[in-house]
Amino acid sequence: MKKKIHYAYVMLAACCLVQGGTLGVIHNCRGIFYGPICEDLGVGLGSFTFYMLFFGLFSCVMLPFAGRVFHRVNIRWLLCGASVIFAGSVMLQAAFHSLVSFYVAGAVQGLTGAYLLFYPVPVLLGNWFQKGRGAAIGFAAATSGLAGAIMSPVGAALISGWGWRATSVAFGLISLLMAAPASFLLYLRPEDRDTAPYGAGETQEAGPLTGVSYETARRSAVYPVDILLALLLSILCGYYLQLASYGTAEGFTAEFGARMTALCMIGNVVSKLFLGWYYDRAGIRRTMYLGLAVVGAAFSALLVRSTWWFCVGSLGMGFAMGMSCVMTPILVREVFGSRDYGRISSIVTIATTVGVPVATVTLGFLYDAVGSYRPGILIGLAVTVAGMILVEAVLRMGGRLTVAAAETDTAEI
């Protein structure tokens, strides 16, 4: 008799579609639209990318409530509705002729993206997988990179042939068809389907959830440091949106700029698969340091003006997305445990939503001011070094928090 496939794998497939259709097709491909839209509207890059700040700010407004909403409503209808609004706002951009309209669209995408881009993979798969959690989260997150790698050159070709407006409609429709139907396959917890997580009984996490409470985490010294680290990793992640513009600013063709974005998305896929796999085998400290070392090497490569080094640097920059999307939620669970993971991670996730628009807007205005992206690349290299320092601080302080929480639990027994 054939062994029945665990529903955790259906969850994994559904999360892949949601991530691929929203984070991959739309969010990861924004950069290829920047140049054509700015040229059409007659605005500067900094002024246009300001709409990403609206995306980040309104994500921040929604995220503190997202964890509670996830536990109080039917997530299938919630995510389906969010995907319809998210994709619809992208299609409506085809009719925009002013910056204000894009700012409003950014706000709408931020409100809905708080549920679609940041919660399904770490929260749902974290609940459904006890065995191989890192690999599952990494695989699902990698789908967004794969979608971006495929759709970036496709989108650049469509923009060249159809224009950015028709391409925006096409991308919004693809996003809708991927994410909305998949939403109806999702369940918050295994108990909602009268089953146990995949690997239950094979890991140390079987039984009651371990870790510190939200109140204990909030009052701890490591919490703000972890939030700052998440912010820095998100800032590094935000550089990918400017790769296409960086390539053209350095004298290369628009096609080569799109190739840089596509290579970054390939690196995104590789990093998310590799980091999740490597974490399951080598642990959090080695994985964090290795990922940041690759990002630092990528920034260094981007300072060497040649097609070969630019390709190498773009590929390595994909690891910034793996660090932000995969390792940030894993680090939160490592430091604070699973007991109140949803509430604790919702605040940390705010930092990950702020970093990308901050990086995008800052790089845009910096380029408008000095006419070069190279100062921004040097800043990114410095941020990478700072991230390495904070990783060690978080892990050491988190270890002390875990010991203190264990002693408190023992004293209460």
Side-chain angles (χ1 to χ4, degrees):
M1 183 176 180
K2 290 185 178 181
K3 187 177 180 180
K4 187 177 180 181
I5 296 176
H6 197 286
Y7 197 81
Y9 287 101
V10 177
M11 292 288 297
L12 176 58
C15 284
C16 286
L17 287 171
V18 172
Q19 285 282 283
T22 55
L23 188 58
V25 173
I26 303 301
H27 201 60
N28 286 351
C29 295
R30 291 183 192 274
I32 64 173
F33 288 87
Y34 286 174
I37 293 177
C38 288
E39 183 179 354
D40 186 18
L41 299 185
V43 298
L45 183 62
S47 299
F48 175 72
T49 55
F50 205 72
Y51 95 97
M52 279 298 295
L53 189 58
F54 281 85
F55 170 87
L57 289 175
F58 279 83
S59 291
C60 292
V61 170
M62 182 58 68
L63 277 169
F65 307 101
R68 296 180 182 180
V69 172
F70 250 65
H71 287 79
R72 294 181 180 180
V73 303
N74 186 316
I75 65 167
R76 288 169 287 173
W77 286 104
L78 172 68
L79 294 179
C80 180
S83 64
V84 170
I85 298 172
F86 183 86
S89 69
V90 173
M91 288 186 274
L92 281 175
Q93 288 177 174
F96 293 171
H97 293 275
S98 70
L99 285 177
V100 174
S101 300
F102 280 97
Y103 296 163
V104 173
V108 172
Q109 290 164 23
L111 290 171
T112 53
Y115 297 99
L116 295 166
L117 307 183
F118 310 112
Y119 261 83
V121 167
V123 175
L124 300 184
L125 296 184
N127 290 342
W128 276 85
F129 283 86
Q130 285 188 6
K131 180 182 178 181
R133 177 182 292 150
I137 292 175
F139 184 85
T143 309
S144 63
L146 179 61
I150 294 171
M151 296 306 296
S152 288
V154 170
L158 291 178
I159 290 173
S160 178
W162 296 358
W164 72 266
R165 296 183 185 276
T167 305
S168 185
V169 174
F171 271 47
L173 184 60
I174 292 171
S175 173
L176 179 64
L177 293 176
M178 289 179 67
S183 301
F184 287 102
L185 298 173
L186 297 174
Y187 293 86
L188 180 60
R189 292 174 293 263
E191 305 90 88
D192 296 336
R193 280 186 58 88
D194 297 323
T195 188
Y198 177 73
E202 300 179 36
T203 69
Q204 294 180 350
E205 287 191 37
L209 295 179
T210 59
V212 300
S213 67
Y214 169 73
E215 292 301 323
T216 299
R218 185 176 60 84
R219 292 194 299 265
S220 69
V222 67
Y223 197 40
V225 181
D226 194 20
I227 292 173
L228 178 58
L229 175 59
L231 175 63
L232 294 187
L233 293 178
S234 180
I235 287 173
L236 297 176
C237 183
Y239 274 75
Y240 81 94
L241 289 170
Q242 298 284 10
L243 281 177
S245 298
Y246 178 51
T248 55
E250 290 294 308
F252 298 104
T253 64
E255 289 74 16
F256 181 76
R259 190 185 310 162
M260 289 175 66
T261 301
L263 284 170
C264 183
M265 291 301 105
I266 293 173
N268 180 4
V269 174
V270 172
S271 73
K272 289 172 178 177
L273 292 173
F274 173 76
L275 291 172
W277 171 85
Y278 191 66
Y279 159 74
D280 286 334
R281 285 154 182 78
I284 189 70
R285 180 177 267 103
R286 290 183 180 180
T287 308
M288 294 293 293
Y289 278 128
L290 178 60
L292 284 170
V294 173
V295 175
F299 276 120
S300 300
L302 288 173
L303 290 171
V304 183
R305 191 183 179 280
S306 78
T307 55
W308 193 87
W309 284 108
F310 270 31
C311 288
V312 171
S314 298
L315 190 65
M317 281 305 300
F319 270 71
M321 289 180 241
M323 293 298 292
S324 181
C325 299
V326 176
M327 296 313 300
T328 294
I330 288 177
L331 181 63
V332 172
R333 199 179 289 268
E334 278 275 341
V335 172
F336 300 105
S338 302
R339 179 178 170 184
D340 261 349
Y341 173 78
R343 292 186 67 190
I344 294 171
S345 66
S346 66
I347 307 301
V348 177
T349 304
I350 290 176
T352 68
T353 64
V354 171
V356 171
V358 165
T360 303
V361 173
T362 301
L363 288 172
F365 278 115
L366 186 60
Y367 175 77
D368 288 342
V370 303
S372 173
Y373 280 102
R374 289 181 175 269
I377 300 297
L378 291 172
I379 292 172
L381 191 56
V383 171
T384 305
V385 174
M388 290 183 174
I389 296 172
L390 289 182
V391 164
E392 188 62 29
V394 167
L395 292 176
R396 291 192 178 191
M397 296 168 71
R400 291 195 292 269
L401 176 66
T402 302
V403 171
E407 290 176 351
T408 301
D409 290 343
T410 302
E412 290 177 351
I413 293 176

